[in-house]
C-alpha cells in the first residue's frame, strides 16, 4: 500500500521527460525513409500480424491504435509501415531501444539528479540548476528568452490569447512572481534547452512536465504531445486535479482505486477532497490514509533517485492459447533461452558498470485443467543469483519446479504455462575492496601485472611438489596495507549478505591466513612466495567477479599435457579452472 513520504523543506523543481512514440523514432532514425510516414512497431507473432507496441502520430490520424493487431492496422491504414521488433532467441530483443534510451539519459543527466524510470522516460530534479539560474541570470532580467521555452503550456494561463508565446514569455519573466514560480520559470527554460539538445544530438523528440513534485510532473508530461512541455504552477494545482479521474493517479489504477470507487464513491480527485484525513485513515490505515489525503491536494514527498541504471533486469515471454507450455521439457527450453539473455545482460552490467545482482526471481502465469482452484496464482520464487548461464538456468528450473509444486498442491492434474519471466534484482555497486585479489599476493607498492607474470620463468624445485611461485618486486610481508584493511572494514557489514562478495572475502581471508609461506624459509625477506595451488577451491573462484577470475587465469599457468616424467623434471603444475565468460 502507498505510504506518505516527508515533504521537502524547500520548493523543488522536478521534471518528467517522456519520449514521443520512442520505438517508432528509433526505427525512423535507423531508416530515415520512414520519417513523416504512418508507421508502427510490431512485436511479431503469427496471429493476425502481431501486436502493435508503438504507433506514429501520422498513423494515429488514420485511427491506428496500440491495442490493434498488425492486420487490423493495415485495414484501417493500408499505407502503414509495420516494422518488426528485432528478434533473438525466438523472442523480442529490445537492446536497440535500450541503447537509444541511454543516449538520451546521458544528455538529460547533465543538469541535475536523474532517475531513469524506463526505457523511454526519465525524472529530473533540477532544483539546484534552477536556483543557480535564478541567482546568476533570472528570467526577468534576460533580454531574450530561449525560444523553445516560450512554447511551454502553463496550466492556469488562458489558452485563447491571440499571441500565446508572448503570454508565456510574460509569465516566465514576471518580476512580481513568488519564489516558487520563479524557480519553475527557470526549470521550464532548462528543460526546453535539454529537449532541444536531445533533438540535435539524437534526432529524438520528447515531451515534459515541470512541477514541484514527481507526481504532478508525471501527470502533465503527456498532456501536450508531441515535442511540447507543460508547467504546473502551485496556483493551478487544485483546478487541475479536481476533475481528474482517480484511476489516472499513480498507484490508483488497480485495487486501491477500485476500492475508492466502490466503497467511497470516489471517481475524481475532487471527490476525494470531501473526506477528512481521519476518515481516510479509518478506511485504509494511517499511512495510506494520509497519503490519499495529501495527493488529493497535490502534495507528494517522493524524491528523485539518482539512478541512471535500471534497478533490475528482466526477460519474459508469453504463450497465449495453443502455444501454452504443458510439460517440464518445453518450460526448460524457454527458461534456458530467457536465462541466457538475462546472463548476458547482467554480465554486461558487471563489466561496464561494476554492479552485481544478488537475487534471481522466477514469475509465471499458469492454469489447471481442473479449474476448481483456478483462483490460486502461480507463486513467484527467488533464490541467491549465481553468475554463469548454466548456473542461472539450473536455478531457474529449480524455482519453477518449486513453484509448480506449490501451485498444484496435492492435486494431480494437467497444467499449462501462459507466461514465463526471470529477473535479476538487488543490484549493488562492487565495493572498492573487491578490485583485485593480487593485493594479497604482492606488496602494496608492487607494479606487477597479472598479464605480465611469466610463470614459465619462475623457479622450480621438485622437492616442493605442487606449488605455485610468485616473485615480488620487493621484500615485504604479503599482507594488505592499512588502507586496504580499512576498505574491508568499511564494506564488510554491508556486503555480508551478498553471495559473490562474501565468497571473495572468504577467499581473501584464506589467502591471508596462509601468508604464502616463503620457499625454504619463514623469513619475510625471501625473494619468492609460494602456495599450494590444489588448496584453491575452483567453486570459490567461479563465484568471484569476472575481472578477478581473469586475474587468477593470468597468473596461474595453463595446465600441461600429461606426459611421462623423468627424474629431475619439474612436478610443478597449475590448477585447471573452468572457462569464465569475458
Amino acid at each position: 500500500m502507498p505510504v506518505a513520504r516527508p515533504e521537502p523543506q524547500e520548493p523543488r523543481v522536478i521534471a518528467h521527460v517522456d519520449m514521443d512514440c520512442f520505438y517508432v523514432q528509433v526505427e525512423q532514425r535507423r531508416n530515415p525513409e520512414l520519417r513523416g510516414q504512418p508507421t508502427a512497431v510490431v512485436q511479431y507473432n503469427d496471429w493476425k500480424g502481431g501486436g502493435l507496441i508503438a504507433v506514429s502520430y501520422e498513423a494515429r490520424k488514420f485511427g491506428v491504435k496500440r491495442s490493434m493487431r498488425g492486420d487490423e492496422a493495415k485495414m484501417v491504414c493500408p499505407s502503414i509501415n509495420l516494422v518488426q521488433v528485432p528478434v533473438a532467441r525466438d523472442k523480442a530483443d529490445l537492446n536497440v531501444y535500450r541503447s537509444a534510451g541511454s543516449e538520451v539519459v546521458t544528455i538529460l543527466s547533465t543538469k541535475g539528479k536523474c532517475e531513469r524510470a524506463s526505457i523511454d522516460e526519465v525524472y529530473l530534479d533540477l532544483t539546484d540548476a534552477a536556483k543557480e539560474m535564478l541567482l546568476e541570470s533570472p528570467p526577468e532580467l534576460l533580454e531574450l528568452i530561449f525560444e523553445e521555452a516560450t512554447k511551454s503550456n502553463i496550466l492556469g494561463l488562458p489558452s485563447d490569447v491571440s499571441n500565446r508565446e508572448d503570454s508565456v514569455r510574460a509569465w516566465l519573466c514576471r518580476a512580481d512572481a513568488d519564489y516558487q514560480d520563479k524557480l519553475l520559470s527557470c526549470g521550464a527554460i532548462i528543460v526546453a534547452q535539454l529537449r532541444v539538445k536531445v533533438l540535435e544530438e539524437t534526432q529524438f523528440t520528447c515531451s515534459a512536465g515541470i512541477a514541484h513534485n514527481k507526481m504532478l510532473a508525471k501527470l502533465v508530461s503527456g498532456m501536450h504531445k508531441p515535442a511540447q512541455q507543460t508547467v504546473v504552477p502551485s496556483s493551478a494545482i487544485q483546478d487541475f486535479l479536481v476533475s481528474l479521474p482517480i484511476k489516472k493517479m499513480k498507484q490508483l489504477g488497480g485495487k486501491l482505486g477500485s476500492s475508492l470507487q466502490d466503497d467511497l464513491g470516489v471517481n475524481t480527485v475532487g471527490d476525494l477532497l470531501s473526506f477528512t484525513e481521519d476518515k481516510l485513515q479509518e478506511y485504509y490505515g494511517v499511512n495510506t490514509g494520509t497519503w490519499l489525503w495529501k495527493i488529493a491536494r497535490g502534495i507528494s514527498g517522493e524524491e528523485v533517485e539518482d539512478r541512471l541504471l535500471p534497478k533490475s533486469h528482466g526477460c519474459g515471454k508469453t504463450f497465449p492459447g495453443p502455444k501454452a507450455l504443458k510439460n517440464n521439457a518445453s518450460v526448460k527450453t524457454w527458461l534456458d533461452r530467457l536465462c541466457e539473455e538475462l546472463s548476458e545482460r547482467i554480465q554486461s552490467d558487471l563489466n561496464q558498470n561494476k554492479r552485481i545482482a544478488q537475487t534471481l526471481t522466477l514469475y509465471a502465469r499458469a492454469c489447471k485443467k481442473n479449474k476448481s482452484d483456478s483462483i490460486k496464482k502461480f507463486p513467484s520464487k527467488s533464490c541467491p543469483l549465481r553468475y554463469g548461464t548454466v548456473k542461472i538456468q539450473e536455478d531457474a528450473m529449480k524455482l519453477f519446479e518449486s513453484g509448480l509444486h506449490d501451485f498444484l498442491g496435492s492435486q494431480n492434474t494437467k497444467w499449462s504455462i501462459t507466461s514465463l519471466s526471470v529477473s535479476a534484482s538487488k543490484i549493488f555497486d562492487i565495493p572498492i575492496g573487491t578490485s583485485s585479489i593480487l593485493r594479497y599476493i604482492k606488496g602494496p607498492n608492487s607494479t606487477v601485472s597479472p598479464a605480465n607474470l611469466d610463470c614459465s620463468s619462475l623457479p622450480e624445485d621438485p622437492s616442493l611438489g605442487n606449488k605455485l611461485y610468485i616473485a615480488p618486486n620487493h621484500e615485504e610481508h604479503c599482507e594488505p596495507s592499512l588502507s586496504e584493511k580499512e576498505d574491508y572494514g568499511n564494506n564488510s557489514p554491508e556486503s555480508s549478505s551478498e553471495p559473490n562478495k562474501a565468497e571473495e572475502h572468504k577467499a581473501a581471508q584464506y589467502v591471508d591466513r596462509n601468508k604464502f609461506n616463503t620457499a625454504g624459509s619463514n623469513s619475510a625477506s625471501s625473494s619468492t612466495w609460494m602456495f599450494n595451488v590444489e588448496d584453491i577451491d575452483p567453486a570459490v573462484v567461479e563465484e568471484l567477479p569476472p575481472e578477478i577470475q581473469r586475474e587468477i587465469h593470468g597468473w596461474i599457468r595453463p595446465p600441461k599435457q600429461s606426459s611421462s616424467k623423468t627424474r629431475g623434471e619439474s612436478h610443478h603444475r597449475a590448477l585447471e579452472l573452468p572457462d569464465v565468460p569475458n
Side-chain angles (χ1 to χ4, degrees):
M1 297 288 279
V3 176
R5 300 180 184 276
E7 298 171 49
Q9 297 295 320
E10 297 182 351
R12 296 177 298 170
V13 179
I14 308 297
H16 179 260
V17 181
D18 189 17
M19 307 306 296
D20 300 321
C21 52
F22 187 52
Y23 291 67
V24 171
Q25 287 202 79
V26 173
E27 296 299 342
Q28 287 174 334
R29 187 175 71 170
R30 296 173 69 189
N31 181 8
E33 293 182 0
L34 296 175
R35 294 190 184 279
Q37 302 296 320
T39 306
V41 176
V42 58
Q43 186 169 324
Y44 182 77
N45 58 49
D46 53 10
W47 187 65
K48 296 185 178 181
L52 273 58
I53 62 173
V55 179
S56 72
Y57 293 97
E58 295 82 3
R60 295 181 192 186
K61 294 178 181 178
F62 288 88
V64 180
K65 301 177 181 178
R66 258 197 326 190
S67 58
M68 292 181 175
R69 310 292 297 182
D71 293 348
E72 186 180 359
K74 287 183 178 179
M75 293 176 63
V76 174
C77 179
S79 62
I80 193 170
N81 299 285
L82 297 179
V83 184
Q84 183 180 334
V85 173
V87 175
R89 304 178 185 88
D90 295 325
K91 64 179 291 293
D93 181 2
L94 303 182
N95 282 329
V96 63
Y97 309 111
R98 292 191 186 98
S99 298
S102 296
E103 295 177 44
V104 177
V105 170
T106 299
I107 297 169
L108 296 178
S109 62
T110 58
K111 286 295 183 178
K113 191 185 295 185
C114 180
E115 176 185 336
R116 187 173 185 177
S118 68
I119 287 178
D120 61 350
E121 62 176 333
V122 170
Y123 286 101
L124 300 173
D125 188 333
L126 302 171
T127 306
D128 291 341
K131 287 181 178 178
E132 183 178 348
M133 175 181 286
L134 194 57
L135 286 173
E136 296 180 356
S137 52
E140 66 266 23
L141 299 182
L142 295 177
E143 293 184 5
L144 294 175
I145 288 291
F146 191 64
E147 183 179 356
E148 184 64 28
T150 65
K151 301 175 183 178
S152 302
N153 301 276
I154 313 294
L155 293 190
L157 198 67
S159 57
D160 56 351
V161 293
S162 57
N163 194 331
R164 181 172 165 275
E165 290 189 16
D166 286 346
S167 179
V168 172
R169 184 181 291 105
W171 188 91
L172 293 172
C173 299
R174 289 179 304 157
D176 61 344
D178 62 24
Y179 180 66
Q180 291 186 345
D181 280 355
K182 285 185 177 182
L183 281 179
L184 279 184
S185 297
C186 294
I189 295 171
I190 293 169
V191 172
Q193 293 170 339
L194 287 171
R195 289 176 42 245
V196 169
K197 189 173 183 181
V198 167
L199 179 61
E200 292 174 346
E201 297 189 15
T202 69
Q203 304 176 39
F204 300 144
T205 65
C206 55
S207 299
I210 303 104
H212 289 303
N213 60 54
K214 290 176 70 174
M215 178 186 72
L216 294 171
K218 168 74 172 177
L219 283 172
V220 302
S221 62
M223 283 185 67
H224 300 92
K225 274 180 166 280
Q228 296 185 64
Q229 62 185 48
T230 305
V231 181
V232 189
S234 298
S235 59
I237 293 175
Q238 285 304 309
D239 288 341
F240 166 61
L241 290 178
V242 68
S243 60
L244 190 72
I246 199 72
K247 289 278 192 175
K248 292 287 187 181
M249 299 292 283
K250 183 180 179 181
Q251 294 184 293
L252 293 182
K255 292 182 179 179
L256 181 54
S258 297
S259 174
L260 286 168
Q261 290 178 322
D262 299 338
D263 300 336
L264 301 182
V266 172
N267 294 307
T268 66
V269 178
D271 295 336
L272 195 57
L273 287 170
S274 61
F275 293 89
T276 65
E277 184 175 356
D278 289 341
K279 190 66 173 178
L280 292 172
Q281 289 178 341
E282 180 183 333
Y283 273 90
Y284 299 104
V286 173
N287 288 327
T288 300
T290 298
W291 177 81
L292 288 169
W293 187 88
K294 286 185 174 182
I295 66 165
R297 291 155 179 80
I299 302 170
S300 173
E302 184 181 1
E303 295 185 359
V304 173
E305 298 180 29
D306 197 1
R307 186 184 72 242
L308 305 184
L309 300 170
K311 296 172 69 174
S312 63
H313 297 284
C315 307
K317 176 73 174 176
T318 58
F319 309 96
K323 292 188 175 182
L325 310 179
K326 298 180 180 180
N327 55 61
N328 281 21
S330 59
V331 168
K332 185 178 186 310
T333 297
W334 274 105
L335 268 185
D336 284 352
R337 294 173 183 173
L338 296 175
C339 291
E340 184 179 0
E341 178 183 345
L342 183 66
S343 180
E344 285 185 4
R345 288 172 59 187
I346 62 174
Q347 187 65 55
S348 176
D349 194 358
L350 175 60
N351 295 338
Q352 295 178 17
N353 307 309
K354 307 303 178 188
R355 302 198 308 162
I356 292 180
Q358 289 189 279
T359 301
L360 174 68
T361 304
L362 178 134
Y363 305 92
R365 285 203 303 267
C367 56
K368 307 173 189 176
K369 187 174 182 181
N370 178 7
K371 295 186 178 180
S372 60
D373 193 23
S374 59
I375 297 177
K376 186 175 181 180
K377 294 182 178 180
F378 195 102
S380 60
K381 293 287 183 176
S382 299
C383 69
L385 190 149
R386 300 188 298 159
Y387 275 69
T389 301
V390 174
K391 292 180 180 179
I392 295 175
Q393 290 170 337
E394 291 174 351
D395 292 343
M397 193 62 197
K398 290 177 182 177
L399 292 177
F400 171 78
E401 291 169 347
S402 174
L404 183 63
H405 178 270
D406 292 350
F407 176 67
L408 296 178
S410 59
Q411 298 178 1
N412 184 15
T413 183
K414 292 184 178 180
W415 49 267
S416 58
I417 300 295
T418 57
S419 174
L420 268 180
S421 65
V422 288
S423 71
S425 60
K426 293 187 180 178
I427 303 178
F428 296 94
D429 294 334
I430 298 177
I432 296 173
T434 62
S435 60
S436 173
I437 200 172
L438 278 184
R439 64 168 149 194
Y440 291 94
I441 299 174
K442 61 190 183 207
N445 298 320
S446 174
T447 57
V448 176
S449 168
N452 296 329
L453 286 175
D454 183 3
C455 295
S456 63
S457 64
L458 297 177
E460 296 185 353
D461 184 344
S463 66
L464 295 172
N466 299 326
K467 304 291 190 291
L468 172 67
Y469 298 86
I470 297 180
N473 281 2
H474 53 82
E475 299 173 356
E476 288 190 23
H477 281 290
C478 184
E479 293 190 19
S481 66
L482 178 60
S483 63
E484 290 164 344
K485 290 180 179 178
E486 290 174 349
D487 284 343
Y488 265 93
N490 292 336
N491 285 308
S492 58
E494 299 173 358
S495 60
S496 60
S497 63
E498 301 174 15
N500 291 333
K501 301 170 191 174
E503 289 292 356
E504 192 219 343
H505 190 53
K506 174 182 175 183
Q509 290 176 326
Y510 173 84
V511 171
D512 190 44
R513 283 198 306 271
N514 282 273
K515 300 191 184 297
F516 301 96
N517 295 325
T518 53
S521 171
N522 290 330
S523 170
S525 61
S526 173
S527 62
T528 303
W529 296 323
M530 74 174 187
F531 64 93
N532 193 331
V533 296
E534 291 183 346
D535 288 341
I536 299 179
D537 183 356
V540 172
V541 175
E542 288 184 80
E543 297 296 333
L544 297 175
E547 60 267 29
I548 294 179
Q549 295 188 36
R550 286 194 292 270
E551 289 191 46
I552 295 176
H553 278 292
W555 51 260
I556 296 183
R557 290 182 291 189
K560 296 180 180 180
Q561 297 293 332
S562 59
S563 58
S564 58
K565 294 181 182 293
T566 58
R567 182 184 297 270
E569 286 184 328
S570 170
H571 292 274
H572 295 79
R573 62 186 178 86
L575 174 69
E576 182 176 0
L577 296 174
D579 292 334
V580 179
N582 293 324

